[in-house]
Amino acid sequence: MAYDPELADRIRELVAGEEGVTEQRMFGGLAFLVDGNMAVTASGQGGLMVRVDPKETDALTDGARVRPMVMRGRAMRGWLRVDIAAEESPHELQQWVARGVSYARSLPAKARNR
């Protein structure tokens, strides 16, 4: 399954003007990075993948629409899968994108490949 280009466009609009934001295709989706740190992705599995403070993982999950990302059978703290479609609430999408951008911005910038 490919990522939803309409959802990617909405994310792009929300991060427009943010300093240090780049896009990169990865994991079948389109990731938006802040200073080299992944913030939010229009996931190739549908919805969003959002990077958050690992300490907030449990408080943000609801077991249905928001759940920890699982990689190789292991839940990854600080990474959430959010079931959201392009046509859903602009406010809800804006909150998730802002949360991911804010956390990614709090991390040290990654050196760029030369």
Side-chain angles (χ1 to χ4, degrees), residues 9-89:
D9 286 344
R10 287 188 56 211
I11 295 168
R12 189 176 292 114
E13 289 174 15
L14 291 168
V15 299
E18 287 277 350
E19 190 174 328
V21 173
T22 57
E23 296 178 23
Q24 184 174 340
R25 290 180 186 260
M26 57 175 55
F27 310 120
L30 184 64
F32 294 83
L33 298 90
V34 176
D35 296 326
N37 294 296
M38 191 182 315
V40 62
T41 301
S43 175
Q45 297 176 9
L48 300 175
M49 186 169 65
V50 181
R51 189 165 189 186
V52 298
D53 186 328
K55 293 180 270 185
E56 295 180 0
T57 301
D58 293 337
L60 293 171
T61 58
D62 66 9
R65 289 191 60 207
V66 181
R67 56 200 180 285
M69 184 181 87
V70 176
M71 185 176 285
R72 295 186 178 135
R74 181 175 158 235
M76 305 294 292
R77 296 190 67 70
W79 297 91
L80 300 176
R81 287 209 158 281
V82 180
D83 291 337
I84 191 167
E87 66 277 358
E88 287 191 53
S89 163

